[in-house]
């Protein structure tokens, strides 16, 4: 069981905005920056958002991240069929002295 | 261009030790604020953080696996090695290494290897 919690699934129709939540504690999200990754089947995860809200070059601005207290969110606007993937949040945990991942959210584009 | 590639056995017997090597290029593990992290993913399951080694040789381990893991680096070869002892079928997973820039409050994985699938079975 992950110390950081994500909903197991999310869905939306093309063009919609979908938000995925990531809930942690003071020792991880509450004290450190959050990053987000997406993973297509059979491929390695790819960095989407780092330091809560920063996008690496090449990531569309349809993807945005935010953090408040011990929770973070990933918003995907203008949903596209190719956004169908698994999404993970991650952060450093000061109490564990290690990294932690959320349990992942499977996004379905209806 | 940053690349990472994992290598190691595809099949390991229970109770044996597993040694995985991450060979990277395009960055140096002697650069302050740089580290390499190992992450695994059992089939159909979530990502699990395993261990990290920093540019100054500082090491961190998953607390649940700490007694079984050892991470090391060879900066002359641009390699990071992860050893896991006494493997069990539950250790069957795809193992990834990732480049991880960090500071005191941020840490993320900006480049990943393609992963290597390790099956633990007799």
């Amino acid at each position: 069981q992950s110390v950081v919690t994500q909903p197991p699934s999310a869905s939306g129709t093309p063009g919609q905005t979908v938000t995925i939540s990531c809930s942690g504690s003071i020792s991880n999200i509450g004290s450190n920056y959050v990053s987000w990754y997406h993973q297509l089947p059979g491929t390695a995860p790819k960095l989407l958002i780092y330091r809560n809200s920063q996008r690496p070059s090449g990531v569309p601005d349809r993807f945005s991240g935010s953090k408040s207290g011990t929770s973070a969110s990933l918003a995907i606007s203008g949903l596209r069929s190719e956004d169908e993937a698994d999404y993970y949040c991650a952060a450093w945990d000061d109490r564990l002295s290690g990294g932690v991942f959320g349990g992942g959210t499977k996004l379905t584009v209806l | 261009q940053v690349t990472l590639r994992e290598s190691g056995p595809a099949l390991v017997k229970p109770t044996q030790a597993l040694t995985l090597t991450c060979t990277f290029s395009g960055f140096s593990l002697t650069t302050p604020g740089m580290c390499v992290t190992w992450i695994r993913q059992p089939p159909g399951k979530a990502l699990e953080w395993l261990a990290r080694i920093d540019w100054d040789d500082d090491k961190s381990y998953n607390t649940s696996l700490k007694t079984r893991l050892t991470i090391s680096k060879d900066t002359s070869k641009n390699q990071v090695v992860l050893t896991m002892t006494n493997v069990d079928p539950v250790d069957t997973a795809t193992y990834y290494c990732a480049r991880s820039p960090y500071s005191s409050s941020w840490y993320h994985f900006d480049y990943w290897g393609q992963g290597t699938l390790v099956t633990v079975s007799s």
Side-chain angles (χ1 to χ4, degrees):
Chain A
Q1 189 171 354
S2 303
V3 298
V4 173
T5 303
Q6 296 178 234
S9 63
S11 63
T13 56
Q16 272 190 332
T17 296
V18 169
T19 301
I20 297 172
S21 62
C22 174
S23 179
S25 65
I26 188 66
S27 64
N28 43 66
I29 295 175
S31 302
N32 297 293
Y33 287 89
V34 176
S35 54
W36 289 89
Y37 306 84
H38 76 161
Q39 184 179 33
L40 297 171
T43 68
K46 176 186 171 185
L47 178 65
L48 268 183
I49 297 287
Y50 65 99
R51 290 189 225 170
N52 298 340
S53 60
Q54 303 301 303
R55 281 186 308 276
S57 63
V59 173
D61 60 5
R62 302 187 297 107
F63 295 90
S64 62
S66 63
K67 184 185 114 169
S68 178
T70 59
S71 295
S73 294
L74 172 71
I76 309 170
S77 62
L79 201 61
R80 298 182 173 185
S81 58
E82 57 260 38
D83 297 332
E84 191 162 284
D86 293 325
Y87 291 82
Y88 293 91
C89 60
W92 185 256
D93 191 299
D94 294 335
R95 181 179 63 85
L96 297 174
S97 294
V100 289
F101 283 97
T105 298
K106 183 175 183 62
L107 175 64
T108 301
V109 181
L110 301 169
Chain B
Q1 180 188 3
V2 174
T3 64
L4 302 99
R5 177 174 49 86
E6 305 86 353
S7 58
L11 181 64
V12 184
K13 288 182 167 47
T15 76
Q16 288 186 338
L18 167 65
T19 297
L20 297 169
T21 301
C22 175
T23 304
F24 58 87
S25 64
F27 69 98
S28 173
L29 205 38
T30 61
T31 302
M34 191 61 67
C35 70
V36 169
T37 301
W38 282 95
I39 296 152
R40 73 179 178 180
Q41 185 173 37
K45 296 190 176 181
L47 300 169
E48 180 180 26
W49 186 92
L50 295 178
R52 106 182 198 190
I53 188 163
D54 297 355
W55 65 280
D56 58 359
D57 212 39
D58 198 15
K59 299 158 188 156
S60 304
Y61 295 100
N62 182 309
T63 54
S64 300
L65 299 167
K66 187 171 185 174
T67 59
R68 300 172 52 211
L69 295 176
T70 303
I71 193 169
S72 63
K73 63 181 173 67
D74 185 333
T75 51
S76 66
K77 293 182 179 179
N78 279 353
Q79 290 181 333
V80 171
V81 175
L82 181 74
T83 300
M84 177 183 289
T85 59
N86 192 27
V87 298
D88 181 89
V90 299
D91 297 313
T92 294
T94 296
Y95 287 76
Y96 297 100
C97 62
R99 188 183 89 152
S100 319
Y102 74 97
S103 78
S104 59
S105 62
W106 56 263
Y107 167 60
H108 53 268
F109 319 108
D110 58 357
Y111 290 91
W112 295 63
Q114 63 186 16
T116 185
L117 175 62
V118 178
T119 301
V120 180
S121 175
S122 54

